[in-house]
Amino acid sequence: MMELQNTVITGITGVFTVHLEKGVVRKMTNRATYGLSLCKSGQVTYFHDGRAVVSDPEHAVLLPQGQSYSLRCDKEGDFPVINITTLSPLCETVTALDIPGSQFLMENYEALKGLFLEPQDQAKCMSILYDMLHQLSPRNRWGVLQNAVDQIYSSYHLPELSVGQLAQSCQISEVYFRRLFKEQFQVSPKQFVIDLRIQKARLL
């Protein structure tokens, strides 16, 4: 897969939301374009090349051009899809991407959907899509934590500071926040706060 933030988009051919009920199975043959599939609610599993790839509110999926695959809806929900053409290959197989901020992506998707049918707004559509790809790039995952880190350093002394508040400041789920934070700092958010309080107490 290419670096998402280096992808050159040549066109947006479709912006729509698919509603699927649990148990629905669909097959795609020789997909005409690349696709970015999001999950507003529910869960879908894609099957391609002997692999199963899950799409849920914390995982977007890149869909490969020219490939055939199937999907099964595991949990009823709404699944936004953006069909795109690119200058160079984007992916060769169905590929899952961690979503660092689902609220950001959904707000941008809704903006893109609203502008897509207006020819004079195509440049704005491309700009929004590039912002979404930039947000999904693995290189930018750690930047999602910046708001939480800033809040920790400004509010570490407050007893009511909670992991839930920190996750909310990053606009991601608490479960995903804990995992991402542990990957970045090698300690849990709670332990990070405790260690910071000890360091500050020693300075005093």
Side-chain angles (χ1 to χ4, degrees):
M1 183 182 67
M2 293 178 59
E3 287 286 345
L4 287 180
Q5 48 191 17
N6 293 330
T7 298
V8 177
I9 307 297
T10 56
I12 302 173
T13 63
V15 181
F16 52 92
T17 299
V18 178
H19 180 82
L20 296 176
E21 296 183 356
K22 182 177 179 180
V24 168
V25 175
R26 292 188 178 177
K27 294 184 178 181
M28 172 64 71
T29 302
N30 193 24
R31 198 176 205 284
T33 66
Y34 291 106
L36 172 62
S37 177
L38 305 173
C39 178
K40 189 173 183 179
S41 61
Q43 179 177 304
V44 161
T45 301
Y46 290 87
F47 300 93
H48 184 227
D49 281 348
R51 297 168 56 247
V53 178
V54 173
S55 174
D56 57 26
E58 293 183 351
H59 298 89
V61 170
L62 288 177
L63 302 172
Q65 179 177 327
Q67 298 291 318
S68 300
Y69 55 86
S70 62
L71 64 84
R72 180 192 67 222
C73 182
D74 304 312
K75 183 179 179 182
E76 181 178 357
D78 295 314
F79 304 91
V81 179
I82 305 170
N83 288 332
I84 59 177
T85 56
T86 62
L87 187 62
S88 303
L90 182 61
C91 61
E92 296 180 354
T93 186
V94 176
T95 305
L97 301 169
D98 287 345
I99 294 181
S102 58
Q103 182 175 334
F104 171 90
L105 287 175
M106 288 305 162
E107 288 175 355
N108 277 270
Y109 169 78
E110 293 299 335
L112 179 60
K113 185 178 178 182
L115 292 170
F116 179 66
L117 297 179
E118 302 296 331
Q120 69 271 21
D121 290 324
Q122 290 307 298
K124 180 63 175 177
C125 287
M126 296 290 275
S127 175
I128 293 172
L129 181 56
Y130 275 118
D131 282 346
M132 294 174 73
L133 293 179
H134 181 76
Q135 183 77 357
L136 287 167
S137 174
R139 289 185 180 182
N140 295 308
R141 291 174 64 197
W142 310 130
V144 175
L145 298 174
Q146 190 61 55
N147 286 342
V149 174
D150 291 344
Q151 186 172 348
I152 288 173
Y153 276 93
S154 65
S155 307
Y156 67 90
H157 57 287
L158 299 177
E160 62 268 25
L161 182 64
S162 69
V163 175
Q165 290 175 335
L166 296 174
Q168 187 175 13
S169 73
C170 300
Q171 299 182 347
I172 58 180
S173 73
E174 187 171 331
V175 172
Y176 183 55
F177 173 76
R178 289 178 185 274
R179 178 161 64 87
L180 202 58
F181 196 97
K182 184 70 177 289
E183 289 177 6
Q184 175 69 357
F185 297 103
Q186 283 74 57
V187 295
S188 68
K190 182 178 180 179
Q191 189 61 50
F192 187 94
V193 173
I194 291 172
D195 292 344
L196 181 60
R197 285 171 177 167
I198 291 174
Q199 291 173 14
K200 294 295 184 179
R202 286 174 178 169
L203 289 175
L204 292 174

